[in-house]
Amino acid sequence: MDHEPVPDVARVRLALEAGGFVDLSRVPALRLTEPLRITRPTVIIGGDLTAPEGAAALEVTSSQVQIVGARIRGSATRGSTRDPGQILVHAHGCRESSVVGCTVDHVLYAGVMCLPCCQVLVADNEISDIPLTPGTVDGYGIAFSDAGNTEAARSRNCRAVRNTIRIVDREGIDTHGGLAIRITDNVIVGCARGIAVVSGNQTRRMSPQQCLVARNRIGAAGARTAPLEAVAFRGIEGTRPPGPSGTTWSTAIAGRTRSGRPPGHGPGAPSRVSAAWGSAGAEGRSSSADGP
C-alpha cells in the first residue's frame, strides 16, 4: 500500500507549527522521515503515523498538548533488537500530565517511561508483549525512573492506576528511586516481576521513598521468562536515604510463592499475600524534578 506523499506530510507540519486543533482523522496513513514536532498548545485528533527509523513519531516540547485517537507504529518487527532512539511519543518536561486509555503492544523497552516526571497520571491503559531482545536486560510496562543520582532527578508524586499489563519479560510496573509513587488497582499478568519499588542498579544512589502499592492483582500465567518476585520493595547498600519506605497491602498474588517461584518450583505453598518480598511505550522527560 502506498503511503501519503511528502506534500501531505508538509501540510500536517504546517498545521502543527500553527498549533490549535489539528484533525488527522481523515488524513491517509503517513510514513514519516523525521518526527512531527509540536511546539505550541495543540489538540491532535486521529491520525495513522509510522515513526521514522530510530526516531520519534511525535516530539512534544509544548504544554497544553492532547493526542487523542491516534495510531502510531514503530519500525520494530518480530525478532528486532531495541533501538534506543525510537520513542514513539517523546514528551519533554513532563509535569502534571496524563497517559490515559492507550493500548500499547509489542514495544522493545517500555510501554510508558517517565524519566523523570512529576505529578504524572498513567491510568486505564492496556500494555502487552514487551520482550527482552539481545543486548537488553530490562523492559517495563510502566516505569517512573530517574535521570541521575540526585534528589532532584527522581520521579515524584506520580500514579499508575487501573492499568492492565500482560507478558512483560522483566517488570510490569517499576520505580527506580521514586518519591511518593502510587501503584494501585492494576492487573499485572505474565510478567517476570510484577511490581518493583527499588533503587535500581549500583549506579543509582537514591532509595524509593513514601511509595504505595495497593489493591493490585498479580499473576504468573503466561510468563515467558523465569519468575522473580511478585512485588520487590528494596534499596541497595549506600543509597540515600538509607532504605526504602512505603506501604503495600491488599495485593492478590496468584501462582507464586513468597520467593517468586510458581507452585512446584520450590518450597512453600502458593501464596495470596500482601507482597512477595525480594532483596534486590511513550516517554516523558523533565529537565529537573519539577519540569521546565
Side-chain angles (χ1 to χ4, degrees), residues 101-116:
C102 299
T103 299
V104 181
D105 177 69
H106 191 67
V107 294
L108 299 186
Y109 185 58
V112 180
M113 172 65 75
C114 300
L115 188 63

Side-chain angles (χ1 to χ4, degrees), residues 45-66:
I45 302 295
D48 188 335
L49 309 174
T50 297
E53 192 82 21
L58 297 174
E59 192 89 22
V60 182
T61 56
S62 172
S63 61
Q64 301 180 57
V65 171
Q66 295 183 52

Side-chain angles (χ1 to χ4, degrees), residues 3-289:
H3 293 276
E4 194 63 16
V6 170
D8 280 340
V9 176
R11 285 196 289 270
V12 171
R13 293 189 191 282
L14 287 174
L16 293 175
E17 288 175 9
F21 186 86
V22 179
D23 188 352
L24 301 181
S25 61
R26 297 184 182 181
V27 175
L30 301 176
R31 181 177 293 274
L32 304 173
T33 58
E34 61 180 79
L36 294 174
R37 294 181 171 86
I38 305 172
T39 60
R40 295 175 179 269
T42 304
V43 178
I44 297 177
I45 302 295
D48 188 335
L49 309 174
T50 297
E53 192 82 21
L58 297 174
E59 192 89 22
V60 182
T61 56
S62 172
S63 61
Q64 301 180 57
V65 171
Q66 295 183 52
I67 303 165
V68 182
R71 181 174 186 177
I72 303 174
R73 313 166 200 250
S75 59
T77 59
R78 299 286 173 179
S80 293
T81 57
R82 177 193 172 204
D83 185 339
Q86 184 150 85
I87 301 163
L88 298 183
V89 179
H90 194 179
H92 301 262
C94 275
R95 179 184 174 91
E96 300 181 19
S97 301
S98 300
V99 181
V100 177
C102 299
T103 299
V104 181
D105 177 69
H106 191 67
V107 294
L108 299 186
Y109 185 58
V112 180
M113 172 65 75
C114 300
L115 188 63
C117 291
C118 181
Q119 295 176 269
V120 169
L121 171 65
V122 183
D124 301 306
N125 301 288
E126 295 188 8
I127 299 171
S128 63
D129 190 13
I130 301 181
L132 294 178
T133 61
T136 301
V137 298
D138 287 321
Y140 309 99
I142 299 167
F144 303 104
S145 197
D146 56 15
N149 296 329
T150 66
E151 168 70 18
R154 60 192 345 196
S155 287
R156 60 189 65 212
N157 299 312
C158 295
R159 293 179 290 155
V161 184
R162 297 185 307 274
N163 300 283
T164 298
I165 301 173
R166 301 180 185 277
I167 318 300
V168 178
D169 287 353
R170 189 61 175 178
E171 293 173 347
I173 301 178
D174 168 276
T175 181
H176 283 29
L179 175 65
I181 305 299
R182 299 172 65 89
I183 301 171
T184 61
D185 302 293
N186 301 281
V187 176
I188 302 170
V189 179
C191 302
R193 179 179 286 119
I195 296 172
V197 180
V198 297
S199 298
N201 58 33
Q202 293 293 330
T203 67
R204 288 181 166 91
R205 313 313 302 165
M206 301 304 299
S207 291
Q209 293 290 301
Q210 302 172 30
C211 296
L212 171 67
V213 177
R215 300 184 307 274
N216 301 283
R217 297 176 59 192
I218 303 172
R224 297 179 295 209
T225 48
L228 302 169
E229 304 91 347
V231 179
F233 207 119
R234 60 174 176 258
I236 57 175
E237 184 177 358
T239 55
R240 303 185 307 272
S245 69
T247 303
T248 178
W249 82 80
S250 300
T251 295
I253 299 171
R256 297 179 188 266
T257 66
R258 283 185 177 270
S259 66
R261 300 183 182 90
H265 287 71
S271 180
R272 292 173 63 87
V273 296
S274 61
W277 296 92
S279 57
E283 180 171 282
R285 295 176 182 264
S286 65
S287 56
S288 70

